[in-house]
Amino acid sequence: MSVSERLVRELASIRAPFSANDNIAPYLRDGDLEAIQAEAEQHVRALLRSLVIDTDHNTTDTPARVARMLVQEAFAGRYQHPPMATAFPNVRELDELYTVGPVTVRSTCAHHLVPIMGEAWIGVIPGARVIGLSKFARLTRWVMARPQMQEEAVVQLADAIEQAIEPQGLGVVIRATHMCMVTRGVCDHASSMTTSVMRGALRDNHAARDEFLRLIGAQGFGPC
C-alpha cells in the first residue's frame, strides 16, 4: 500500500478533512512527506507519458522538479505545521487600529492548479495579545501555499490570525489575479478578484471599518 493510500484510509476512518486547502500535517509520520514526493514524481512522469511528451534533454528531470515544487513549495501549507507565531502581552493596552500590508499572496487555483498572485492587507485592533509584524506574512504564506479558492482562503487567513492573537477587531482583504482567467478561458488580463473578512469591531463599528479601508487605500489598495 502506498503512503497516499494509507493516509487516505486513516483520514477517512477518523473523518479528518483532507480537501485541497486542508492542512494534514498532524497526521503525517516521519518519512511520509518524502514518500509522498517520490510517489508524486512517478505520477508526473506518467502524466507526461499520457500527454505524449518524451523525456528528452528538456524534460528528463521535470517529474522530480514538479513533485518537489508541489510538496515543498506550492502546496507546502498542506503538509507543514503552522509557523511559530509567539504572542506577547499587550502591556501598554494598545487599542488603536494598525494595518499590515501589502503582504505578498502566492497561491494555486484549486480548479485548474495554476497560479494565483496578489496582495493581502490586514487590519488589527489589538486585544490582550500581539504578534510581530513578520508573523502576518508567515501566516499568510502558510495559508496560501495550498490549492485554494480565494473566497475560502481569506476566511482561513482570518481564522489563523484570530486564533493567534484574539483581537478586538480584525479585517483581512485579499486582491489577486488568477491565471485561470489570464491564460485560459476568457484570457482576461485586466481582471482581479477582491475578497474580505471583517470581524469584531471592524465588522460592527462602521467608523473603524472605514478607517481601515482608508488606511489600506493609502498603502496602495484601490482600483486596478
Side-chain angles (χ1 to χ4, degrees), residues 5 8 17 32 37 62 105 118 139-140 160 164 174 191-192 194 200 214:
E5 290 172 331
V8 167
D32 278 357
Q37 183 173 315
T62 296
V105 165
L139 286 170
T140 301
I174 295 176
S191 294
S192 64
T194 302
R214 284 197 305 271

Side-chain angles (χ1 to χ4, degrees), residues 110-173:
H111 285 171
H112 298 97
L113 298 185
V114 294
I116 298 170
M117 296 180 291
E119 295 174 323
W121 289 260
I122 300 160
V124 174
I125 299 177
R129 298 182 294 168
V130 294
I131 56 174
L133 181 64
S134 67
K135 303 306 183 292
F136 292 101
R138 295 183 187 279
L139 286 170
T140 301
R141 183 184 306 164
W142 179 68
V143 167
M144 300 306 295
R146 316 169 190 186
Q148 280 285 12
M149 299 301 296
Q150 188 176 326
E151 305 94 313
E152 298 176 1
V154 70
V155 175
Q156 285 187 321
L157 180 53
D159 289 345
I161 296 171
E162 198 164 38
Q163 183 176 358
I165 57 176
E166 298 180 348
Q168 295 183 61
L170 174 66
V172 180
V173 177

Side-chain angles (χ1 to χ4, degrees), residues 83-97:
M84 292 295 295
T86 303
F88 301 95
N90 183 4
V91 176
R92 302 271 184 184
E93 298 184 348
L94 303 172
D95 61 0
E96 295 291 337
L97 172 69

